[in-house]
């Protein structure tokens, strides 16, 4: 079998952390070409190009400082150069930029290329939910898979043990991708319900904003636990309404992509952090994103807006009070200190 060429599209905090794993595994396994291209959105850092810093010092000093990348990971600032000849495309850019990136590479990739999305977010489509993998699949015409889990990037880069979930319908593809990303400290489980895996990765960010509100208002751990539980209920109910590929198995929510990712994000991560700062400072989400995230993008509020529109179209808003409250607080000035009031009469059976 010809060795597979791997390209990582994105080089932020999570993109650089996964590059550390993928680069090491590509060098170790004959299944893959040794060199792994990583597309870098070029910017200047201390008077030098970021791509130049990565390629000479093997460190993304802006988004993952303190961690050395394998020398076979090559930063490429031109997207078309980065994807040239790639058999496996790993997408790890903010979901707001996916369409633009696909428009650039369309017609320049192999028709049998395999995509793996690490992107957390959903879009509204004409008939309901449009997953990020749907967007990429429609624009590029390639097979898509997804990876989601309790994977805080800095802890993954520190090689602290964690789990992740790959959603993939093909056993052959699942086996190959597991070989590409699994390590002794990064345990991979492959499941077939790729759409559920992906929706979990998007929705948990809404819940995390809500738990950030709780932290900012000093509501305590009991309240936070209630928000996590009610948030999980809404995640499951949302998936049951909007997944069209067949019955939704609740067992997928017990994988890393479900309850584990939800817990990790609600106790750490950027969405919780911004939710807390929002409650404490009264500043806008946009201001806090610029001040606190070092160029990273926030997903929770944007996902809440997409989800709100989907639920409104289905006349389902009253059944999702937590999702709705996060949206109303972030975008319509609803008082943040009234966040838990929306949960008092939460539907008991969703």
């Amino acid at each position: 079998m010809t060795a597979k060429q791997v390209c990582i599209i994105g080089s932020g905090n999570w993109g650089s952390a996964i590059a550390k794993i993928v680069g090491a595994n590509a060098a170790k396994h004959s299944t893959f070409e040794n060199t792994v291209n990583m597309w870098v959105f070029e910017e200047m850092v201390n008077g030098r190009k970021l791509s130049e810093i990565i390629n000479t010092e093997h460190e993304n000093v802006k988004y993952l400082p303190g961690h050395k990348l394998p020398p076979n990971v090559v930063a490429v600032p031109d997207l078309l150069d980065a994807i040239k000849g790639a058999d496996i495309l790993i997408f790890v850019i903010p979901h707001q930029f996916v369409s633009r990136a696909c428009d650039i590479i369309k017609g320049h990739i192999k028709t049998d290329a395999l995509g793996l999305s690490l992107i957390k977010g959903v879009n509204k489509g004409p008939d309901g939910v449009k997953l990020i993998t749907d967007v990429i699949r429609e624009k590029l015409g390639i097979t898509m898979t997804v990876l989601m889990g309790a994977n805080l990037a800095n802890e993954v880069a520190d090689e602290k043990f964690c789990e992740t979930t790959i959603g993939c319908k093909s056993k052959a593809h699942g086996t190959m991708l597991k070989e590409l990303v699994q390590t002794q400290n990064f345990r991979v489980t492959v499941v077939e319900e790729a759409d559920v895996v992906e929706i979990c990765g998007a929705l948990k960010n809404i819940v995390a904003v809500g738990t950030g509100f709780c932290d900012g208002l000093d509501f305590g751990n009991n309240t936070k636990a209630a928000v996590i539980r009610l948030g999980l209920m809404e995640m499951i109910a949302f998936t049951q309404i909007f997944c069209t590929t067949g019955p939704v198995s609740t067992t997928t929510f017990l994988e890393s992509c479900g309850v584990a990712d939800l817990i990790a994000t609600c106790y750490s991560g950027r969405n919780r952090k911004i939710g807390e700062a929002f409650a404490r400072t009264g500043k806008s989400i946009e201001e806090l994103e610029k001040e606190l995230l070092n160029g990273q993008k926030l997903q929770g509020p944007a996902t809440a807006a997409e989800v709100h529109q989907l639920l409104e179209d289905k006349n389902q808003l009253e059944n999702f009070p937590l999702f709705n409250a996060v949206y109303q607080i972030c975008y319509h000035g609803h008082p943040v200190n009234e966040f838990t009031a929306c949960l008092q009469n939460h539907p008991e059976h969703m």
Side-chain angles (χ1 to χ4, degrees):
M1 184 180 72
T2 305
K4 304 292 185 183
Q5 178 70 52
V6 182
C7 172
I8 300 170
I9 300 175
S11 57
N13 186 232
W14 184 210
S16 297
I18 207 68
K20 185 177 176 184
I21 289 174
V22 168
N25 280 348
K28 187 190 307 181
H29 299 296
S30 60
T31 307
F32 312 104
E33 288 281 354
N34 181 71
T35 299
V36 174
N37 285 348
M38 179 174 72
W39 175 62
V40 174
F41 180 78
E42 192 70 281
E43 51 190 309
M44 302 300 290
V45 178
N46 298 325
R48 296 175 65 194
K49 292 179 179 179
L50 181 56
S51 62
E52 177 188 306
I53 296 172
I54 293 171
N55 287 334
T56 55
E57 299 175 19
H58 306 295
E59 180 181 352
N60 189 332
V61 295
K62 179 166 184 180
Y63 296 110
L64 195 68
H67 292 280
K68 290 296 181 182
L69 299 176
N72 60 317
V73 173
V74 178
V76 182
D78 184 282
L79 181 53
L80 289 181
D81 285 344
I83 57 97
K84 188 174 182 181
D87 300 289
I88 300 173
L89 300 167
I90 300 175
F91 294 86
V92 56
I93 53 178
H95 84 273
Q96 300 95 320
F97 305 145
V98 170
S99 289
R100 190 187 318 166
C102 288
D103 287 340
I104 292 171
I105 67 178
K106 184 177 181 179
H108 297 275
I109 58 172
K110 293 183 176 181
T111 56
D112 61 348
L114 176 65
L116 176 66
S117 173
L118 279 62
I119 301 168
K120 295 178 176 176
V122 293
N123 291 334
K124 180 182 179 297
D127 302 312
V129 169
K130 191 158 196 176
L131 302 174
I132 300 303
T133 51
D134 292 335
V135 175
I136 299 172
R137 188 183 298 110
E138 288 178 12
K139 283 186 171 286
L140 301 181
I142 62 174
T143 299
M144 287 299 301
T145 60
V146 63
L147 181 150
M148 301 281 157
N151 306 144
L152 299 171
N154 288 346
E155 293 185 15
V156 172
D158 284 337
E159 299 181 24
K160 295 175 179 176
F161 179 82
C162 69
E163 298 179 305
T164 200
T165 311
I166 289 177
C168 175
K169 298 191 184 304
S170 161
K171 287 186 178 180
H173 287 158
T175 299
M176 180 173 64
L177 293 173
K178 186 171 182 175
E179 184 179 35
L180 181 62
V181 298
Q182 180 162 270
T183 71
Q184 186 175 352
N185 293 311
F186 195 66
R187 179 177 179 268
V188 177
T189 301
V190 181
V191 302
E192 289 188 11
E193 286 189 310
D195 48 356
V196 177
V197 173
E198 188 168 0
I199 289 177
C200 281
L203 297 182
K204 56 92 183 183
N205 284 328
I206 306 176
V207 186
V209 174
T211 58
F213 294 160
C214 293
D215 289 341
L217 296 165
D218 297 315
F219 280 166
N221 285 321
N222 290 341
T223 307
K224 193 167 182 176
V227 169
I228 291 171
R229 188 188 77 83
L230 295 170
L232 179 59
M233 287 177 64
E234 292 194 13
M235 288 169 59
I236 294 171
F238 183 93
T239 306
Q240 289 171 336
I241 292 170
F242 287 98
C243 269
T244 58
T245 55
V248 173
S249 168
T250 53
T251 58
T252 302
F253 291 90
L254 299 178
E255 297 289 349
S256 184
C257 62
V259 66
D261 196 8
L262 177 63
I263 292 169
T265 309
C266 287
Y267 277 91
S268 187
R270 68 190 78 162
N271 290 281
R272 189 220 60 83
K273 179 180 181 179
I274 295 296
E276 179 180 7
F278 182 89
R280 292 196 188 279
T281 67
K283 293 181 180 179
S284 71
I285 294 292
E286 291 77 14
E287 287 177 286
L288 293 168
E289 184 182 61
K290 289 176 183 175
E291 288 179 16
L292 301 177
L293 296 189
N294 189 37
Q296 296 178 71
K297 290 296 180 182
L298 196 65
Q299 303 297 336
T303 303
E306 297 283 1
V307 164
H308 181 270
Q309 188 61 59
L310 288 160
L311 292 172
E312 192 172 53
D313 289 350
K314 290 273 190 182
N315 241 6
Q316 288 278 349
L317 280 176
E318 65 179 21
N319 291 323
F320 294 83
L322 193 155
F323 288 174
N324 189 36
V326 171
Y327 168 75
Q328 295 295 342
I329 290 167
C330 289
Y331 290 100
H332 292 289
H334 190 83
V336 68
N337 59 4
E338 294 181 11
F339 174 59
T340 56
C342 72
L343 307 178
Q344 297 290 345
N345 297 309
H346 199 281
E348 291 186 20
H349 303 287
M350 299 185 68

